[in-house]
């Protein structure tokens, strides 16, 4: 999570969310911060970019055995993408009561109607991740 926090701090013009993807052996496959403002792309969320980069690096869209570590609870788009990418484990820091889709507003990743459900570890370094968000929106 500390690595994801460091990545989140690299884009001062966008909401500070950082995401990393670790391979089954713990090797970092990809890292990304939000790039919506930089790219003008509404799908430029840190999780989406990290998923794309990890898939490109391994040459496979299935990220089975991989772990996504992100500083903020994923939104519906990102939660859906991590399910579709078959990511095995999700670790996130701060809860997002307005748009969170891993328990706050919805729970996409645990929906039994879907064909894949990752293990979820929430609240990792929660205070530090939440502070990063609060400071940005002041």
């Amino acid at each position: 999570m500390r690595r994801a926090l460091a990545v989140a701090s690299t884009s001062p013009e966008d909401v500070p969310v950082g995401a990393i993807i670790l391979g089954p052996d713990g090797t970092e496959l990809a890292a990304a911060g939000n790039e919506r403002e930089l790219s003008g792309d509404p799908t430029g969320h840190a999780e989406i970019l990290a998923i794309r980069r990890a898939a490109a690096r391994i040459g496979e869209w299935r990220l089975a055995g991989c772990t996504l570590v992100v500083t903020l609870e994923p939104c519906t788009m990102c939660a859906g993408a991590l399910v579709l990418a078959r990511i095995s484990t999700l670790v996130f820091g701060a809860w997002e009561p307005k748009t969170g889709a891993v328990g706050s507003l919805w729970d996409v990743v645990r929906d039994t109607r879907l064909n894949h459900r990752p293990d979820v570890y929430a609240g990792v370094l929660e205070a530090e991740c939440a502070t990063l968000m609060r400071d940005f929106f002041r």
Side-chain angles (χ1 to χ4, degrees):
M1 186 60 74
R2 295 212 184 278
R3 170 76 173 120
L5 279 163
V7 172
S9 300
T10 61
S11 181
E13 66 278 347
D14 215 324
V15 177
V17 176
I20 62 168
I21 295 188
L22 304 172
D25 64 353
T27 302
E28 184 177 307
L29 298 176
N34 275 351
E35 294 182 8
R36 291 178 310 165
E37 297 297 332
L38 179 67
S39 65
D41 178 0
T43 68
H45 290 204
E47 301 96 323
I48 299 295
L49 298 172
I51 289 169
R52 288 178 185 159
R53 292 171 187 168
R57 180 165 177 189
I58 65 171
E60 169 70 50
W61 66 267
R62 290 176 192 89
L63 299 176
C66 292
T67 299
L68 170 62
V69 180
V70 62
T71 57
L72 187 66
E73 178 185 4
C75 69
T76 307
M77 174 181 68
C78 295
L82 74 93
V83 167
L84 293 173
R86 310 297 195 272
I87 289 176
S88 297
T89 306
L90 167 64
V91 178
F92 72 88
W95 291 92
E96 174 45 272
K98 294 179 182 178
T99 62
V102 186
S104 287
L105 215 49
W106 297 282
D107 201 347
V108 172
V109 300
R110 293 184 193 97
D111 191 320
T112 57
R113 296 169 292 180
L114 299 176
N115 64 336
H116 177 74
R117 285 176 297 287
D119 293 328
V120 176
Y121 299 91
V124 176
L125 297 181
E126 182 176 2
E128 291 174 54
C129 294
T131 297
L132 187 65
M133 296 297 290
R134 270 194 304 276
D135 290 350
F136 179 80
F137 285 107
R138 282 190 182 161

